[in-house]
């Protein structure tokens, strides 16, 4: 059977032996795991031996483009990966706006890439239609992310997609990331280091085969309906012009518009969220910077940097090294406290650690990326620093989840205090503290409770399950939220979007519904897909990700614990009552999350019934 | 099929390739940016839009550009 949408081939790259094979995609597997993220989970489960170290050659990187990627459904551009991540030691997803890469991978003829082993010298993977080759990357080794992309784009005309690491990934910095087309980030938690450990500097992809849909007529009607809704959306222009700066006004609107040079969008995205900016005045005048999101450029302001131009410059440096800015900034605040307490000797903390100073931060970013002096310790992230400086250091550490710094919550970069799905999701997503999978339905903004039923319906929560998630009072008014129960549905919705390859960002996700996704999947692939089947397949993928982690020895008591610093007067508050969150309530939420998944409410191990329902019997 | 004059504004182009997807789907029956009659060239951080000789000025690409980088003019006549 030929499926529409899918390219039909899995690329298997053995870096150790230098052998590349092309395997036909089994249509049954494609259906059962949807594609994209779902298939990535399945291939990682099958290719990852339990107990493998994240930076060992045996840890595979699986990369996949979703089923709708390559079509022109809005923002169907996403690239996903599953690998064991070095900071958390868990098997987690990494996802990026695919910019041109994911679309080009499909056009070259591949849905997924499985990369195993370790090359004996720096290489990059070239995928140009049928021509798939490992090439010498020695001239690129040591270059930053955009320098690598620019060098490759000299040889491979755009829109060739590039996934590349900077010096951070090369030197196995535990919070290094890979970048897609130099502008989208892949893999907070050390995806960059996994590529670096394989001596894999970059992957380039370009193709000219095209992506076809099975039912053109059905597709056309669906496409028309979603575009009509998008065009009619009253805030479309505002999102295109301002994006998240509206919600996080770190700088004045005028300043942002003054420096914004151009908006950049992933293939097929009608809104866009990425920017090219140019610093127009001051010492840094003329610097042109590409960013995955304008608000990221201003993050150092939250940490005390005064001048937005300097903030932009620092983020540009971190992006060039390929380092996660949240982890970097959090670590530097921590290191500064350790130096002030005398736990780090004065001569090791040179230059002086000053989070508000561009000069100091640039120097430390370089030392970490190159693992020089104390930078070598900092490059191992919070766990490495705590191990090096002991218990006293641990007492000064911020809230940590799986060894990483959550970026939303009390004392974090986004000091949001209400505890919704996004906040709980930072603990219950296996990858570590990330909000990408748990935005719907609560997001950061306090949403009126009346909107929840409609939103849950859109996410595909069956009608008879909605009542249990939204307790009501005597008058029938919604009085609270089952945050744990809701999060189970956030994760399923994320697995649906991720498997289709649709961007889950709020500005995109709002136009999609589970029923639309099921219809679009059916029209594109030709596989009969009622919404109930789409839900089940997404559940299969997310449950298998759970099983992959349980197989590693993942435990509730260790991996799924809320940091103590999240409680107390300055801790999180209940999303509705705004009363301080208690440990008991949070434990209950985790029980609810497990129960809603039909996992053991105490241990989080999927029940036999759940495994039988999903056809995952026999897997542990 | 009506013909339009297609106006381009490179500065507004985001590189989303919606134009190339729409054109290839209409004329090649598959989404294939490399087969489109409109091309967005990425030049450093800038974009430049051009049309190939096969372009029949049908305006579909402009209908699919939501950023105002392609507009079809009502006057017609290519
Ligand atoms: S919203 Fe941003 S990340 Fe998502 S598809 Fe559009 S440009 Fe890419
Ligand atoms: S011309 Fe319009 S549709 Fe084409 S890439 Fe540029 S912004 Fe996208
Ligand atoms: S005007 Fe028509 S033929 Fe020409 S590039 Fe646009 S869609 Fe293609």
């Amino acid at each position: 059977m030929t499926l529409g949408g899918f390219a039909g081939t899995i690329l298997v790259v053995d870096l150790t032996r230098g052998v590349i094979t092309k395997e036909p995609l089994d249509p049954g597997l494609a259906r059962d795991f949807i594609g994209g993220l779902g298939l990535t989970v399945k291939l990682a489960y099958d290719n990852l031996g339990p107990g493998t170290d994240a930076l060992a050659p045996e840890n595979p990187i699986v990369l996949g483009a979703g089923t709708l990627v390559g079509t022109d459904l809005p923002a169907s551009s996403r690239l996903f990966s599953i690998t064991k991540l070095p900071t958390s030691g868990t098997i987690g997803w990494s996802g990026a706006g695919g910019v041109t890469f994911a679309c080009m991978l499909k056009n070259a003829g591949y849905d997924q890439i499985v990369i195993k082993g370790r090359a004996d010298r720096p290489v990059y993977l070239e995928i140009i239609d049928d021509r798939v080759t490992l090439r010498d990357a020695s001239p690129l080794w040591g270059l930053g992310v955009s320098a690598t992309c620019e060098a490759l784009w000299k040889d491979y005309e755009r829109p060739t997609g590039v996934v590349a690491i900077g010096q951070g990934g090369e030197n196995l910095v535990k919070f290094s990331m890979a970048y897609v087309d130099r502008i989208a980030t892949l893999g907070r938690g050390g995806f960059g280091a996994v590529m670096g450990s394989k001596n894999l500097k970059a992957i380039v992809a370009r193709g000219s085969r095209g992506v076809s849909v099975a039912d053109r007529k059905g597709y056309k009607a669906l496409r028309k309906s979603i575009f009509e809704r998008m065009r009619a959306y009253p805030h479309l222009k505002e999102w295109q012009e301002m994006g998240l700066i509206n919600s996080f006004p770190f700088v004045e609107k005028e300043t942002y518009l003054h420096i914004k040079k151009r908006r950049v969008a992933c293939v097929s995205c009608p809104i866009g969220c990425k920017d090219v900016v140019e610093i127009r005045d001051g010492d840094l005048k003329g610097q042109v910077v590409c960013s995955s999101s304008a608000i990221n450029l201003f993050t150092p302001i939250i940490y005390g940097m005064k001048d937005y131009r300097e903030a932009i410059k620092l983020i540009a440096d971190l992006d060039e090294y390929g380092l996660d800015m949240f982890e970097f900034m959090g670590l530097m605040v921590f290191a500064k406290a350790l130096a002030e307490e005398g736990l780090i000797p004065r001569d090791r903390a040179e230059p002086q650690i000053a989070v508000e100073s561009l000069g100091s931060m640039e120097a430390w970013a370089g030392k970490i990326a190159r693992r020089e002096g104390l930078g070598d310790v900092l490059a191992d992230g919070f766990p490495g620093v705590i191990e090096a400086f002991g218990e006293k250091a641990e007492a000064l550490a911020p809230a940590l989840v799986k060894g990483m710094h959550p970026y939303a919550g009390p004392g974090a970069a986004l000091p949001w205090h209400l505890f919704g799905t996004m906040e709980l999701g930072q603990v219950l997503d296996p990858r570590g503290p990330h909000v990408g999978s748990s935005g719907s339905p609560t997001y950061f903004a306090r949403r009126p409770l009346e909107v929840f039923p409609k939103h849950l319906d859109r996410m595909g929560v069956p009608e008879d399950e909605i009542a249990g998630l939204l307790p009501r009072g005597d008058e029938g008014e919604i009085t609270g939220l089952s945050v744990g129960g809701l999060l189970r549905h956030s994760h399923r919705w994320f697995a649906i979007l991720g498997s289709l390859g649709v961007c889950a960002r709020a500005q995109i996700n709002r136009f999609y519904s589970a029923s639309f996704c099921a219809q679009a999947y059916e029209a594109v692939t030709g596989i009969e897909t009622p919404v109930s089947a789409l839900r089940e397949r997404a559940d299969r993928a997310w449950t298998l990700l759970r099983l992959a982690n349980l197989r590693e020895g993942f435990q509730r008591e260790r991996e799924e614990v809320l940091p103590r610093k999240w409680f107390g007067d300055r801790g999180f508050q209940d999303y509705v009552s705004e009363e301080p969150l208690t440990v008991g309530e949070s434990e209950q939420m985790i029980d609810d999350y497990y129960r809603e998944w039909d996992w053991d409410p105490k241990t989080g191990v999927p029940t036999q019934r759940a495994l039988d329902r999903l056809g995952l019997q026999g897997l542990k | 099929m009506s013909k339009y004059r297609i106006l381009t504004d490179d500065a507004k182009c985001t590189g989303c390739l919606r134009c190339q997807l729409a054109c290839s789907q209409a004329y090649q029956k598959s989404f294939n940016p490399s087969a489109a009659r409109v091309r967005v060239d990425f030049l450093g951080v800038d974009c430049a839009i051009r049309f190939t000789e096969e372009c029949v000025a049908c305006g579909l690409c402009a209908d699919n550009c939501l950023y105002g980088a392609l507009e079809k003019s009502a006057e017609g006549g290519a």
Side-chain angles (χ1 to χ4, degrees):
Chain A
M1 173 167 86
T2 332
L3 301 175
F6 289 96
T9 304
I10 300 169
L11 205 53
V12 182
V13 180
D14 182 335
L15 293 169
T16 308
R17 294 191 298 137
V19 174
I20 293 165
T21 43
K22 297 174 186 174
E23 295 178 0
L25 173 66
D26 170 359
L29 204 65
R31 178 199 58 217
D32 290 350
F33 287 89
I34 306 173
L37 175 63
L39 259 183
T40 312
V41 170
K42 171 66 175 150
L43 294 174
Y45 186 91
D46 292 348
N47 282 284
L48 177 59
T52 303
D53 184 83
L55 300 180
E58 293 75 24
N59 181 25
I61 293 175
V62 185
L63 279 161
T67 319
L68 305 185
V69 171
T71 72
D72 70 346
L73 285 171
S76 55
S77 60
R78 210 84 187 150
L79 178 70
F80 274 95
S81 168
I82 300 277
T83 193
K84 192 179 232 192
L85 293 165
T87 306
S88 55
T90 56
I91 298 161
W93 61 271
S94 303
V99 202
T100 61
F101 184 90
C103 172
M104 285 294 118
L105 182 66
K106 289 279 286 278
N107 270 275
Y110 313 98
D111 299 293
Q112 301 269 332
I113 318 175
V114 180
I115 303 169
K116 312 184 206 188
R118 171 184 290 154
D120 58 5
R121 62 196 155 79
V123 293
Y124 72 92
L125 176 63
E126 174 199 84
I127 305 170
I128 308 289
D129 286 315
D130 290 340
R131 195 174 88 220
V132 184
T133 324
L134 287 167
R135 297 212 170 267
D136 178 26
S138 332
L140 303 173
W141 205 255
L143 294 183
V145 169
S146 60
T148 304
C149 292
E150 297 294 349
L152 287 166
W153 284 327
K154 279 207 179 96
D155 294 336
Y156 303 90
E157 205 187 331
R158 294 187 77 179
T160 301
V162 178
V163 172
I165 57 169
Q167 299 90 340
E170 291 176 9
N171 294 321
L172 313 183
V173 176
K174 294 270 179 73
F175 50 95
S176 56
M177 304 187 288
Y179 284 64
V180 185
D181 289 357
R182 84 169 157 219
I183 206 167
T185 57
L186 187 66
R188 184 165 195 260
F191 182 85
V194 181
M195 275 182 71
S197 74
K198 299 191 168 317
N199 271 324
L200 180 63
K201 178 69 176 174
I203 308 171
V204 298
R206 196 181 68 228
S208 55
R209 294 166 50 122
V211 172
S212 305
V213 304
D215 168 13
R216 285 168 53 88
K217 212 169 139 214
Y219 178 89
K220 224 171 148 184
L222 287 162
R223 183 187 170 289
K224 185 162 179 266
S225 80
I226 196 164
F227 272 99
E228 277 173 3
R229 279 186 284 122
M230 284 190 113
R231 281 188 199 276
Y233 180 50
H235 304 295
L236 179 70
K237 283 274 160 267
E238 201 176 310
W239 269 107
Q240 287 179 333
E241 192 184 22
M242 298 299 291
L244 280 171
I245 291 285
N246 262 346
S247 321
F248 298 94
F250 296 134
V251 293
E252 302 281 329
K253 179 177 176 178
E254 293 67 36
T255 308
Y256 168 63
L257 293 177
H258 181 56
I259 60 171
K260 180 171 159 184
K261 219 171 131 62
R262 199 162 73 78
R263 177 52 52 106
V264 176
C266 299
V267 170
S268 81
C269 179
I271 293 184
C273 68
K274 308 187 182 307
D275 282 315
V276 180
V277 304
E278 180 173 354
I279 301 176
R280 309 279 183 185
D281 48 22
D283 294 348
L284 297 164
K285 185 174 172 182
Q287 286 262 342
V288 176
V289 174
C290 302
S291 170
S292 58
S293 168
I295 59 160
N296 290 349
L297 290 174
F298 303 121
T299 309
I301 295 174
I302 312 171
Y303 292 88
M305 203 169 264
K306 297 278 178 299
D307 187 327
Y308 74 86
R309 302 167 195 82
E310 294 189 353
I312 291 174
K313 176 65 169 62
L314 175 59
I315 296 299
D317 289 339
L318 293 172
D319 283 346
E320 196 60 7
Y321 291 129
L323 301 179
D324 172 20
M325 61 175 183
F326 286 114
E327 212 65 1
F328 172 81
M329 295 306 297
L331 257 177
M332 294 320 299
V333 171
F334 180 41
K336 178 170 184 261
L338 297 186
E340 282 169 1
E341 289 294 315
L343 292 171
I344 298 179
R346 189 177 283 268
D347 61 334
R348 293 194 73 192
E350 276 296 330
Q352 196 189 6
I353 301 171
V355 181
E356 65 294 342
S357 148
L358 175 63
S360 167
M361 288 300 96
E362 280 187 310
W364 282 101
K367 281 166 81 93
I368 290 173
R370 293 185 295 270
R371 285 188 172 268
E372 283 168 14
L374 182 67
D376 188 30
V377 178
L378 296 172
D380 284 334
F382 287 97
V385 177
I386 291 168
E387 197 184 314
F389 298 105
E391 262 175 43
K392 282 192 184 152
E394 191 165 12
L396 293 170
L400 296 176
V401 174
K402 299 185 182 68
M404 290 168 68
H405 174 49
Y407 50 78
L414 306 172
W416 173 249
H417 284 259
L418 297 184
F419 199 72
T421 52
M422 236 175 179
E423 292 68 29
L424 181 62
Q426 294 186 104
V427 175
L428 291 178
D429 185 318
R431 73 173 289 184
H434 197 283
V435 298
S437 62
S438 49
S440 311
T442 67
Y443 294 107
F444 287 119
R446 175 87 142 81
R447 315 181 100 218
L449 296 179
E450 315 81 78
V451 306
F452 279 84
K454 198 166 135 234
H455 198 55
L456 294 181
D457 177 58
R458 188 173 70 74
M459 290 163 61
V461 182
E463 207 185 331
D464 57 348
E465 291 177 30
I466 292 180
L469 301 165
L470 305 172
R472 289 182 187 261
D474 298 340
E475 314 276 295
E477 77 290 6
I478 299 171
T479 53
L481 300 178
S482 163
V483 173
L486 289 172
L487 181 63
R488 173 262 190 276
H489 296 281
S490 317
H491 283 162
R492 174 159 71 195
W493 180 226
F494 177 73
I496 291 175
L497 293 173
S499 301
L500 296 181
V502 171
C503 181
R505 296 201 177 190
Q507 63 268 42
I508 299 297
N509 163 351
R510 63 177 307 117
F511 297 104
Y512 279 87
S513 66
S515 62
F516 181 91
C517 288
Q519 291 172 59
Y521 187 80
E522 184 164 315
V524 168
T525 61
I527 301 172
E528 193 185 346
T529 303
V531 71
S532 56
L534 189 65
R535 281 197 292 255
E536 185 183 292
R537 295 169 198 163
D539 284 358
R540 180 175 297 120
W542 199 262
T543 304
L544 190 61
L545 182 59
R546 179 90 188 164
L547 292 177
N549 278 296
L550 290 169
R551 190 171 65 171
E552 299 290 326
F554 186 100
Q555 283 171 6
R556 174 177 185 169
E557 308 75 61
R558 195 178 52 223
E559 271 84 20
E560 295 185 325
V561 186
L562 273 70
R564 276 205 313 272
K565 292 192 171 151
W566 277 6
F567 301 99
D569 291 348
R570 301 168 63 154
F572 270 117
Q573 297 161 357
D574 182 88
Y575 193 86
V576 179
S577 70
E578 298 187 28
E579 292 293 324
L581 180 75
T582 67
V583 175
E585 284 160 354
S586 71
E587 293 286 321
Q588 182 62 47
M589 288 176 189
I590 296 177
D591 294 356
D592 292 345
Y593 174 81
Y594 294 160
R595 195 174 293 112
E596 198 73 18
W597 269 110
D598 200 6
W599 299 349
D600 182 298
K602 287 295 154 215
T603 62
V605 174
T607 61
Q608 195 55 50
R609 186 179 49 225
L611 297 181
D612 289 346
R613 180 175 72 88
L614 299 171
L616 296 172
Q617 307 90 328
L619 300 182
K620 278 258 155 42
Chain B
M1 184 184 298
S2 22
K3 290 206 168 200
Y4 297 91
R5 211 152 61 85
I6 317 273
L7 308 173
T8 63
D9 184 347
D10 291 346
K12 289 187 177 160
C13 179
T14 62
C16 73
L17 305 190
R18 294 199 52 78
C19 49
Q20 294 186 207
L21 291 170
C23 180
S24 57
Q25 170 72 349
Y27 297 103
Q28 315 294 330
K29 307 291 175 230
S30 109
F31 293 104
N32 185 348
S34 71
R37 300 163 181 186
V38 51
R39 296 297 167 89
V40 172
D41 293 323
F42 295 82
L43 309 167
V45 297
D46 296 318
C47 286
I49 306 163
R50 64 186 165 89
F51 296 89
T52 69
E53 282 179 2
E54 292 82 43
C55 169
V56 294
C58 69
L60 249 181
C61 51
D63 293 341
N64 280 280
C65 176
L66 272 78
Y67 295 100
L70 292 175
E71 304 269 6
K72 55 186 192 193
S73 112
E75 291 126 54

